[in-house]
Every structure is written in C-alpha cells, then in structure tokens.
Amino acid sequence: MSLGLDSPWRGRRVFLTGHTGFKGSWMALWLTQMGATVCGYSLAPPSDPNLFEVARISECVHHIEADICELPRLRAAMQEFAPDVVFHLAAQSLVRRSYAEPVLTYATNVMGTVNVLDSIRHTASVKAAVLITTDKCYQNREWQWGYRENDRLGGHDPYSNSKACAELVSAAYRDSFFPPDKLGVHGVAVATARAGNVIGGGDWAVDRLIPDLMRGFIAGEQVAIRNPHAIRPWQHVLEPVRGYIQLAERLLAHDASFTSAWNFGPDEEDARPVEWIVRELAKQWSPDASWAIDEGVHPHEATYLKLDCARAHNLLGWRPALALSGALQFIVEWFKQWQAGSDMQQITLDQIAAYQRLSKYDLPISNRS
C-alpha cells in the first residue's frame, strides 16, 4: 500500500473511541497505515475471539481500556493525547441487547456521546470530529425509498432510539459550542455519520447475521435464521469507514458546509433480503453449509430500511466501491484464512489495500476521478 508524502493523514493525531470493536478495529488499522498516530479509547473487546486481538491492533495504536461513561477519565485522556481529529464509534450497538439492557444502552449511546462532545469542548487541539450513529436513527415507516438526512429521527427499539438521541445531542452541541461560522477562528468542525448493516471479516458479535453464519459454518453446525424476508442495506465495513475518513478530511479543511449529518449506504441493488445473503454465503463457503429458518418469536426489528446517499455522492465524492457479491467474497476469504491460522493482521491489511485499489482512496481528494 502506498502512503505517499501527500497523505492527508501523515502525522495526524487521531482519538478513536470504540477501537476494540469490529468497525473500530478496521478503522484503526487503516488510519495507522495512512500515517496517522491513533489513540484508541474503549472497553475490552466485546467478543472472544475478536478482530482487535486477532489482527493485533494493539501493536498499531496507543490503547486505553476505559469507559466513555467515565467523563473525568475520558476528558483527561483526550487532553493528554491532544488529537487533531476525534472519531466516536464506541456504542452499545446491538438491537436485541438493547431490549435486555435498555438503561446501559441509553447511558452508553446518549451520555457517552455527551461525554465525548464535552471532552472535545475542553480539548484545545481538536479541529474536527465525526460521530457515528446508525441508519436506524430514522423513524422507520417501512418506506420503499431511502431516508434522507433531514427526515424525522425516531427509533422503535432502545438501540435505534438512543442513536436518534445521540444525533440530537450532537446537533445541540454543534449549535451551542461549535458553530460553523467560527471554524476559521477557534471552532471545531463537527459532523455525524449514519450507516448500518456493515459486514466484513473479523465480526464475531452476538445476534448478528454474518457472525452467526460464520460460527455455524466453521463449526459444521446448522445455523438458525430469523427474519428471512427483512431487507437491509448491506455493505462492507470499509465502505462507511472510507466515508468517515473522507468526511473528516473536509472538516479539517474548515469547510462549514460539511458540519451536518451524512448517510453512507450501498447502491440500490445491494439492499437484499436476509435469506438472499444466507444462500449466497452458504454457496461460497461450502456445499455442506447448513441453515434453517427460526420460526420462534423475536423482538421487533425493521422489515425494510435503506438510505438515500445522494448528498455523500454529490458533495463529498463518496460512492460505494465494492459490490455486495465482492463484499461476501472478502468475508469468506477472511474467515477461511483465519480458520487456516494465517497472519490476520496481514490478511486484513491486504483487504484494505485491495479495497483502496477499487476506491482509489490512496489518491488525494483533489486528484480523484
């Protein structure tokens, strides 16, 4: 992978919450490869095994194991590191867990976001911040068209609703403490990013489709599938991560027009039913891969949800680079390499490099086609 002397991330100091999670681990590895110095702040990895340990992310970042709900510690860590950029990914991110632990979900996703924003407010070095929520933050009416950034926020379950609250908190802090008209003086450029149903190698989360399938296929066990007809905007984890990084670059350039909410989702044809994903992955994995529909009663989950990403396409220059079929190939290859005992840091870096060739992300923004 070529970094280039003109990499906008060479020498940047990045404070990344949630770096021990699935998406955070991919992001930490990519940022360090582009020359950034990354401080990760997060709880211990959420599963065993996990991408953070398997890909040896701790070798690449300054690792702080702590809770974003502990404001004094979070603020002190951020001030000591003195970052240029903050990416906030730490969250309770599982819908089904939010039904079992709603108080924890709101505490982490709402007050955790407050704590991050208030720590930014008291850290003079910060120039830009991207706070990650979810596509589920919208009041979902099961529409057949995508939600735009100015559509009404809501959320049926505690997870989705808490992320809508996090969006409101971010907007209030931006309006109150980081007004866009002060960016060139002493302000912080703050934006939020909404993406969901990210998939990729190294995801072992509980009650998520791809991890459940991979665990079952590797163990040679039949996998029970719920909500087979639910349609989701599936995308490889590197797609929204690239969007977050590109958005941060624009914020660092003091462009006030980017201090708002942004959707990052796949193309129309990659919004597919759960059952289609299961069949395709089973076909790619092995003729012996087995699954069945779970007919039990489950908590409410949306049947149909997709995003309108025209803003990111037209203003940010971001578009999906990896079709869903290619994303599934990446996943199967990653887990087969893990099963074979390969060096998973190198395999993960190889997939980042392959994705960069597709997205042309290793070129400066001004030179991209």
Side-chain angles (χ1 to χ4, degrees):
M1 184 186 312
S2 174
L3 294 177
L5 295 176
D6 57 355
S7 167
W9 293 94
R10 184 176 293 280
R12 288 286 184 192
R13 296 178 68 79
V14 177
F15 193 90
L16 172 62
T17 73
H19 70 294
T20 61
F22 164 59
K23 192 189 294 186
S25 291
W26 277 95
M27 191 168 195
L29 197 56
W30 194 354
L31 285 167
T32 57
Q33 281 302 107
M34 290 191 293
T37 299
V38 177
C39 176
Y41 187 101
S42 182
L43 294 175
S47 63
D48 184 17
N50 58 81
L51 180 58
F52 179 76
E53 293 174 342
V54 166
R56 309 191 309 280
I57 305 299
S58 62
E59 296 177 0
C60 310
V61 304
H62 174 55
H63 170 56
I64 300 175
E65 188 172 309
D67 192 339
I68 59 170
C69 292
E70 300 174 9
L71 176 58
R73 187 173 181 186
L74 173 63
R75 182 181 296 173
M78 190 181 294
Q79 290 176 341
E80 181 178 356
F81 183 69
D84 304 300
V85 185
V86 174
F87 289 103
H88 174 43
L89 276 68
Q92 193 302 93
S93 59
L94 300 175
V95 171
R96 286 165 69 88
R97 185 181 178 189
S98 78
Y99 283 105
E101 300 181 89
V103 174
L104 170 69
T105 299
Y106 280 102
T108 302
N109 295 350
V110 181
M111 288 309 302
T113 299
V114 170
N115 291 344
V116 170
L117 284 161
D118 213 61
S119 296
I120 291 170
R121 187 165 71 97
H122 289 90
T123 305
S125 62
V126 179
K127 301 176 182 66
V130 179
L131 297 96
I132 313 308
T133 61
T134 176
D135 59 351
K136 297 177 181 64
C137 69
Y138 294 104
Q139 182 174 325
N140 189 3
R141 297 179 174 152
E142 306 285 350
W143 284 334
Q144 298 301 302
W145 54 86
Y147 291 92
R148 296 178 177 176
E149 288 88 348
N150 59 356
D151 280 329
R152 185 171 181 176
L153 301 175
H156 181 281
D157 55 88
Y159 166 70
S160 304
N161 186 267
S162 70
K163 285 298 196 172
C165 293
E167 284 281 351
L168 294 173
V169 164
S170 300
Y173 259 80
R174 180 172 53 234
D175 293 343
S176 300
F177 305 113
F178 314 122
D181 61 351
K182 301 292 186 183
L183 292 190
V185 184
H186 54 74
V188 181
V190 175
T192 59
R194 303 164 181 175
N197 290 94
V198 295
I199 58 178
D203 187 1
W204 278 283
V206 177
D207 284 330
R208 278 171 55 87
L209 178 64
I210 304 297
D212 287 349
L213 288 170
M214 291 297 100
R215 276 189 289 265
F217 292 170
I218 290 169
E221 299 172 351
Q222 186 178 74
V223 183
I225 303 302
R226 64 180 188 271
N227 301 321
H229 304 299
I231 296 173
R232 298 285 185 269
W234 312 94
Q235 60 184 331
H236 193 273
V237 61
L238 290 175
E239 301 275 36
V241 166
R242 174 168 57 94
Y244 307 158
I245 293 172
Q246 286 184 227
L247 177 56
E249 290 178 16
R250 295 300 181 95
L251 297 175
L252 284 167
H254 304 299
D255 192 332
S257 64
F258 289 88
T259 57
S260 57
W262 296 83
N263 286 340
F264 297 101
D267 289 331
E268 178 84 18
E269 60 269 23
D270 286 339
R272 296 279 191 166
V274 165
E275 188 170 355
W276 185 93
I277 295 289
V278 175
R279 291 184 185 278
E280 287 298 309
L281 267 181
K283 186 187 343 179
Q284 290 192 31
W285 183 266
S286 164
D288 300 323
S290 177
W291 60 277
I293 295 174
D294 183 350
E295 303 289 356
V297 178
H298 304 286
H300 172 272
E301 292 187 52
T303 301
Y304 195 84
L305 176 64
K306 66 178 181 177
L307 300 176
D308 182 328
C309 302
R311 244 182 121 236
H313 297 172
N314 298 329
L315 302 180
L316 191 58
W318 175 92
R319 285 183 177 273
L322 184 62
L324 183 54
S325 58
L328 298 182
Q329 291 172 11
F330 269 39
I331 291 169
V332 168
E333 175 64 18
W334 196 98
F335 277 102
K336 286 194 171 183
Q337 291 285 352
W338 175 74
Q339 190 179 27
S342 300
D343 179 344
M344 296 315 298
Q345 184 182 97
Q346 189 58 54
I347 295 300
T348 306
L349 287 169
D350 289 346
Q351 291 201 344
I352 291 172
Y355 177 80
Q356 282 185 293
R357 289 191 292 272
L358 290 171
S359 67
K360 297 183 174 63
Y361 182 69
D362 53 341
L363 297 177
I365 285 178
S366 59
N367 293 337
R368 288 182 203 142
S369 59

